[in-house]
Amino acid sequence: VEELYFSWKDQIMDIVGRWGEVGAPGKYHVVGVLGMGGSGVVGDYLALLSNLRGGLPVIVSKSHLLPRTISSDDLVFAISYSGNTLETRLAVEKALRIGARIVVVSSDGLLEKLAAEKGVPFVGVVKGVAPRTALPSMLFAILSVLDASGLGVVSRGEAEGVAGFLGDVMRDAVNAAYDIADFIDSSKGLLILAGHSPWEALLVRGKNEFNENAKIPVKVDVAPEWMHNDIVGYEKPYKFPACVLAVKDPGDRVGSRLVDFMIDIYKGLGYPVKVLELRGASDLEKLMYGSLVLGLASVRLARMRGIDPLATESIHRYKSMVNEIFGV
Ligand code: PA5
């Protein structure tokens, strides 16, 4: 599984080699991203980048429902690694019905078929891996389509640079990941992923990685919102073992100070704390570095616990019943 993370550079270079082949030029009000789990979180990453870089507003929907804020004037990415996820397919059907401009991103499956049948633009991503490990392929596929549509927030040159960066930091990322896994395993409590804006999406991605690969529940705490609610919950918590992985952008003085404030409170409760500092020269590099370290740490933790990181039995159980639940 580690190999799948080591190959992230290649995933990006594969998309760079096909950069701009698929586009959907037009005038849109918003960009919608419909997807679940390891695919849906790509929408959160796009929203983060678009917010920071002044792209179009991004509406992410992880649901079978289609937000009414998405209309026929909008560009919608239907993203599902397998191409078969029911919630995503139901939302896409609704988006097709209202006449939104759709682009399908998947490795295979019913969505690829639907794209061929309806003449919808399609971008294929890396095949035969676990959905969550295809993060770079799916993210850069969308970034490439946006660039080819005149709505780019990331250029081909920047994408290539990020691939090189990931190659350069791989060894350090592995070391950081192993330290984090040791730390979590020695604490054996609820993992709290603490961090600051604008990195909410990275923290959620980290949560998903530890859920799916290491099979543990995770709480996400994000400053400064944390200071307006969660903080009070730490005044009189029921006693439970916990450990905190605090994620900081060292280039953000306020963000780092906010996290230091959180760390004081966690330490006051006796929770052990470890800090992960994001590396990289840009928001995108920091996002990819953080994703790599958290992903590798979750896989390492799974190994330490004698667990298969790839197996996601409960998701399969849910997916085997999902048609019945939705009545389709
Ligand atoms: O990472 C995973 O395996 C899951 O979170 C899947 O991404 C999720 O179940 C949705 O499936 P898909 O990505 O195939 O649409």
Side-chain angles (χ1 to χ4, degrees), residues 121-253:
F122 170 81
V123 190
V125 297
V126 59
K127 281 184 184 288
V129 303
R132 53 198 173 279
T133 66
L135 172 80
S137 191
M138 293 193 279
L139 175 62
F140 285 81
I142 288 188
L143 294 173
S144 143
V145 173
L146 285 175
D147 201 28
S149 312
L151 306 166
V153 285
V154 172
S155 68
R156 182 182 187 278
E158 181 179 1
E160 204 170 344
V162 174
F165 164 78
L166 283 184
D168 294 345
V169 295
M170 189 57 74
R171 185 176 286 275
D172 292 350
V174 170
N175 291 337
Y178 281 21
D179 273 2
I180 288 169
D182 281 343
F183 165 75
I184 298 169
D185 196 52
S186 62
S187 311
K188 297 196 172 45
L190 176 72
L191 173 61
I192 299 171
L193 276 181
H196 58 88
S197 274
W199 303 105
E200 288 84 347
L202 174 62
L203 297 166
V204 168
R205 161 80 187 180
K207 176 196 83 66
N208 296 349
E209 289 281 78
F210 282 103
N211 294 154
E212 293 183 66
N213 292 334
K215 279 79 175 164
I216 56 169
V218 180
K219 181 177 186 313
V220 172
D221 283 358
V222 191
E225 175 63 8
W226 183 89
M227 282 71 184
H228 301 275
N229 33 61
D230 302 73
I231 187 173
V232 188
Y234 288 106
E235 281 180 16
K236 298 262 177 276
Y238 294 115
K239 291 257 172 290
F240 61 92
C243 65
V244 179
L245 176 61
V247 181
K248 277 189 199 181
D249 174 2
D252 180 341
R253 196 182 63 90

Side-chain angles (χ1 to χ4, degrees), residues 72-106:
S72 57
D73 296 332
D74 297 322
L75 175 62
V76 172
F77 287 96
I79 180 161
S80 165
Y81 181 76
S82 61
N84 293 329
T85 300
L86 182 67
E87 295 93 323
T88 311
R89 282 167 37 224
L90 292 174
V92 172
E93 280 170 17
K94 294 179 179 104
L96 275 171
R97 235 176 281 141
I98 64 162
R101 185 79 183 270
I102 295 172
V103 175
V104 170
V105 177
S106 83

Side-chain angles (χ1 to χ4, degrees), residues 202 276 278-279 285-295:
L202 174 62
L276 167 64
L278 297 179
R279 285 181 53 182
E285 286 187 356
K286 287 174 187 169
L287 201 48
M288 295 314 296
Y289 175 79
S291 308
L292 185 61
V293 173
L294 295 172

